[in-house]
Amino acid sequence: MSTVTLNIDVHSDEHIYMQIYKYIRSEIESGALPFNSRLPSTRHLAAHLQVSRNTIDMAYGQLLDEGYIESYPKKGFFVSDIESLVPAFSNKTAIPNPKMSKTDHFADRHTISSNNHSNFKSHIDDHSKDSAVYTDYQYDFSPYGIDLENFPFGTWRKIARDIYYDDRNFALFQSGHRQGDEDFRTAIANYLHQSRGVRCSADQIIVGAGTEYLLILLTQILGSDSIFAMEDPSYRRSYEILHKMGYPIRPIPLDKNGMSITKLRKTDATVAYVTPSNHFPLGIVMPIKRRLELLNWAFEDHKRYIIEDDYDSEFRYKGKPIPSLQSINRNEKVIYLGTFSKAIAPAIRISYLVLPKPLLEIYKTNMSFYASTVARTEQRQLTNFITQGCFERHLNRMRNIYKAKRDYLLQAFAPYQHRVKISGENSGLHLLLTFIDGRTANDITAAAKNAGIHLMDVSSYYIAPEHMNMKNTVILGYGALSMEQLKTQTECLLRILF
């Protein structure tokens, strides 16, 4: 890297730091920068490319977040070890794994089935409705809400009015394509490619009324013999859907990089359900090495697939959004699942699946009788919202608003860093408070409840009790709160806690 040949285009719409980031990432993926190669210092590279040092810091920061490079104090930046995982970038057909056998499966205590879920159920009974209104609380730090005060209602109404007042749109009241209207699916495909790097055609996209519906449809495509591996802790609603449909679930513990592939390999799972860009609720970003390990796991058996739930990838406050897992896969092993509920409004029950081509053929052969569950007028309204640039402007505005709320919380808790540790703050609409002064999450939530404040315990998201290792961590959601509400609630909470 001492003689970087990157030609920076100062007239490009793409930020200079992104041009540098993409160049270095490409060099690492191609093997031109092998494992343990030392990168130039930020000062040296800034001088060489004649850009500011802050620009290099941003490029290196994005590479660090995605796991392409590692930083060692007083030594510098070095390329991470992903050389042995190159097969995940290839286009070869999946092959069976001769090393896997029935004897390699997890012990029964790691299996959640219809006869063994009482422990997890006891954790979720109090919060079975994600959108529930907690009438017993004066203040609510729920992680599920979003900011609706700043939604562009005027623009939304105008788009709707234009649709309904245009006589040429009478066809929207007739039955449409079972996967969703083509212009809507094309708009989604273009948006996903631009924002998340997703590689797909409109034909691979299925639009549905909510993630729950699409997940149910997906299980029928995958087959009744599917066995699901889920992150532990996990997004509760997805677990409930799969469990209540009778599918075996293997809870896989997490480490600092996400789902443990070592533990995954000890199970008989055929489908891995992951949130790699922003794990819910811990906020872990799965680095490139772990992503490639996961892709290689799927590559080893033609029956294996990965569900990438990218539920709120739009809201990242440090660098650019992390590229999707699907964007680095060349083997048609990743099923991409997304929704507009977090980015626009919960009532916009519009989600989408991006199916790998082999599963798309199964869908077309066996599921052709399903009709689209989203009204065509709503599809057209959202299509226009995207293609007219309104969606991008809305996301940019909301990202700044959410970042301001997050920054306020970080500043408010800064004086107490000797008693509480903050994590998961770089993306999403909540952060985690881990108390290091001896108090447990039960202590904190009970004290908050007595003061009329609703806080959620991270422990309630675990599936297997033996994996529960965050008994002193609570979730602080800020998405639905105005800045004034956030300040009032936070001041009250700080008085109780400290």
Side-chain angles (χ1 to χ4, degrees), residues 104-123:
D104 292 324
H105 298 163
F106 243 0
D108 288 343
R109 66 187 179 89
H110 292 286
T111 299
I112 301 297
S113 65
S114 59
N115 296 321
N116 182 23
H117 72 289
S118 58
N119 286 321
F120 181 63
K121 188 176 185 301
S122 67
H123 292 311

Side-chain angles (χ1 to χ4, degrees), residues 137-155:
Y137 297 97
Q138 181 180 2
Y139 301 129
D140 190 1
F141 283 101
S142 168
Y144 299 114
I146 70 168
D147 189 320
L148 292 177
E149 289 188 355
N150 291 286
F151 182 76
F153 288 105
T155 300

Side-chain angles (χ1 to χ4, degrees), residues 222-263:
L222 290 168
S224 59
D225 59 345
S226 298
I227 301 172
F228 290 84
M230 297 196 74
E231 299 163 322
D232 198 16
S234 187
Y235 179 53
R236 182 170 54 245
R237 184 170 290 180
S238 296
Y239 165 82
E240 289 177 340
I241 292 171
L242 295 172
H243 166 72
K244 290 177 180 178
M245 292 183 69
Y247 285 95
I249 297 175
R250 313 302 190 229
I252 310 298
L254 307 181
D255 57 26
K256 66 178 182 178
N257 295 323
M259 178 181 281
S260 168
I261 308 303
T262 301
K263 299 294 177 61

Side-chain angles (χ1 to χ4, degrees), residues 63-284:
L63 291 164
L64 280 167
D65 289 343
E66 295 181 24
Y68 281 95
I69 65 175
E70 298 175 358
S71 175
Y72 296 96
K74 299 182 180 180
K75 292 184 179 180
F77 299 94
F78 296 83
V79 175
S80 299
D81 182 12
I82 64 171
E83 287 182 315
S84 60
L85 304 172
V86 169
F89 288 115
S90 71
N91 292 302
K92 295 180 180 179
T93 304
I95 56 175
N97 179 8
K99 297 181 179 180
M100 286 294 290
S101 67
K102 297 288 185 180
T103 58
D104 292 324
H105 298 163
F106 243 0
D108 288 343
R109 66 187 179 89
H110 292 286
T111 299
I112 301 297
S113 65
S114 59
N115 296 321
N116 182 23
H117 72 289
S118 58
N119 286 321
F120 181 63
K121 188 176 185 301
S122 67
H123 292 311
I124 67 175
D125 281 342
D126 292 338
H127 309 292
S128 59
K129 302 291 185 182
D130 290 348
S131 58
V133 177
Y134 302 96
T135 55
D136 294 337
Y137 297 97
Q138 181 180 2
Y139 301 129
D140 190 1
F141 283 101
S142 168
Y144 299 114
I146 70 168
D147 189 320
L148 292 177
E149 289 188 355
N150 291 286
F151 182 76
F153 288 105
T155 300
W156 191 255
R157 282 194 296 267
K158 181 181 183 304
I159 292 175
R161 186 169 58 249
D162 291 345
I163 292 172
Y164 285 107
Y165 276 83
D166 190 338
D167 292 337
R168 293 170 297 179
N169 288 327
F170 72 91
L172 294 178
F173 292 90
Q174 299 177 354
S175 297
H177 195 284
R178 65 180 181 272
Q179 293 178 229
D181 286 354
E182 185 174 4
D183 56 349
F184 183 36
R185 288 181 285 121
T186 298
I188 293 174
N190 292 337
Y191 162 70
L192 290 179
H193 182 69
Q194 178 184 359
S195 65
R196 308 294 295 118
V198 171
R199 303 166 184 266
C200 71
S201 65
D203 190 46
Q204 291 176 260
I205 295 176
I206 300 175
V207 174
T211 300
E212 296 87 348
Y213 164 78
L214 290 177
L215 192 54
I216 293 172
L217 175 63
L218 180 57
T219 59
Q220 296 183 49
I221 298 172
L222 290 168
S224 59
D225 59 345
S226 298
I227 301 172
F228 290 84
M230 297 196 74
E231 299 163 322
D232 198 16
S234 187
Y235 179 53
R236 182 170 54 245
R237 184 170 290 180
S238 296
Y239 165 82
E240 289 177 340
I241 292 171
L242 295 172
H243 166 72
K244 290 177 180 178
M245 292 183 69
Y247 285 95
I249 297 175
R250 313 302 190 229
I252 310 298
L254 307 181
D255 57 26
K256 66 178 182 178
N257 295 323
M259 178 181 281
S260 168
I261 308 303
T262 301
K263 299 294 177 61
L264 173 63
R265 288 186 176 280
K266 293 179 180 179
T267 75
D268 54 350
T270 58
V271 183
Y273 192 113
V274 295
T275 52
S277 295
N278 180 30
H279 172 268
F280 187 89
L282 303 187
I284 296 172

Side-chain angles (χ1 to χ4, degrees), residues 6 15 66 96 98 114 123 135 164 177 187-188 193 214 273 290-291 314 330 339 357 382 418 449 497:
L6 168 64
H15 291 292
E66 295 181 24
S114 59
H123 292 311
T135 55
Y164 285 107
H177 195 284
I188 293 174
H193 182 69
L214 290 177
Y273 192 113
R290 181 62 56 84
R291 293 180 182 223
E314 293 88 359
R330 305 293 185 271
T339 180
K357 293 176 182 177
L382 193 45
H418 60 294
K449 183 177 181 180
L497 297 180

Side-chain angles (χ1 to χ4, degrees), residues 190-425:
N190 292 337
Y191 162 70
L192 290 179
H193 182 69
Q194 178 184 359
S195 65
R196 308 294 295 118
V198 171
R199 303 166 184 266
C200 71
S201 65
D203 190 46
Q204 291 176 260
I205 295 176
I206 300 175
V207 174
T211 300
E212 296 87 348
Y213 164 78
L214 290 177
L215 192 54
I216 293 172
L217 175 63
L218 180 57
T219 59
Q220 296 183 49
I221 298 172
L222 290 168
S224 59
D225 59 345
S226 298
I227 301 172
F228 290 84
M230 297 196 74
E231 299 163 322
D232 198 16
S234 187
Y235 179 53
R236 182 170 54 245
R237 184 170 290 180
S238 296
Y239 165 82
E240 289 177 340
I241 292 171
L242 295 172
H243 166 72
K244 290 177 180 178
M245 292 183 69
Y247 285 95
I249 297 175
R250 313 302 190 229
I252 310 298
L254 307 181
D255 57 26
K256 66 178 182 178
N257 295 323
M259 178 181 281
S260 168
I261 308 303
T262 301
K263 299 294 177 61
L264 173 63
R265 288 186 176 280
K266 293 179 180 179
T267 75
D268 54 350
T270 58
V271 183
Y273 192 113
V274 295
T275 52
S277 295
N278 180 30
H279 172 268
F280 187 89
L282 303 187
I284 296 172
V285 175
M286 186 180 288
I288 183 63
K289 181 179 179 181
R290 181 62 56 84
R291 293 180 182 223
L292 294 179
E293 290 173 343
L294 181 58
L295 288 170
N296 282 341
W297 168 84
F299 174 72
E300 292 167 358
D301 192 318
H302 71 281
K303 293 183 179 180
R304 293 178 181 171
Y305 285 95
I306 301 165
I307 299 176
E308 178 181 14
D309 189 343
D310 216 16
Y311 67 100
D312 71 348
S313 59
E314 293 88 359
F315 301 118
R316 180 169 169 78
Y317 315 116
K318 178 184 176 185
K320 283 283 186 178
I322 303 297
S324 67
L325 180 63
Q326 196 267 8
S327 69
I328 64 173
N329 175 232
R330 305 293 185 271
N331 298 315
E332 301 289 340
K333 303 300 289 185
V334 178
I335 303 159
Y336 186 88
L337 179 62
T339 180
F340 290 104
S341 296
K342 279 281 191 181
I344 299 180
I348 307 299
R349 302 296 297 163
I350 301 179
S351 300
Y352 46 87
L353 271 178
V354 178
L355 289 179
K357 293 176 182 177
L359 295 183
L360 179 63
E361 292 305 312
I362 295 175
Y363 166 79
K364 288 184 174 181
T365 301
N366 300 328
M367 313 292 169
S368 59
F369 57 88
Y370 279 101
S372 176
T373 54
V374 180
R376 297 186 68 195
T377 51
E378 293 182 10
Q379 293 184 49
R380 176 61 63 84
Q381 189 171 359
L382 193 45
T383 299
N384 293 351
F385 193 66
I386 295 172
T387 57
Q388 292 174 13
C390 307
F391 185 43
E392 183 178 2
R393 289 192 293 273
H394 174 61
L395 287 178
N396 290 336
R397 182 168 181 247
M398 293 313 302
R399 198 176 290 117
N400 290 330
I401 290 172
Y402 288 137
K403 183 178 182 298
K405 296 178 183 180
R406 185 223 46 175
D407 290 347
Y408 169 77
L409 285 175
L410 294 179
Q411 184 177 10
F413 279 89
Y416 311 101
Q417 56 187 334
H418 60 294
R419 301 185 64 182
V420 64
K421 176 184 176 183
I422 295 178
S423 60
E425 73 276 17

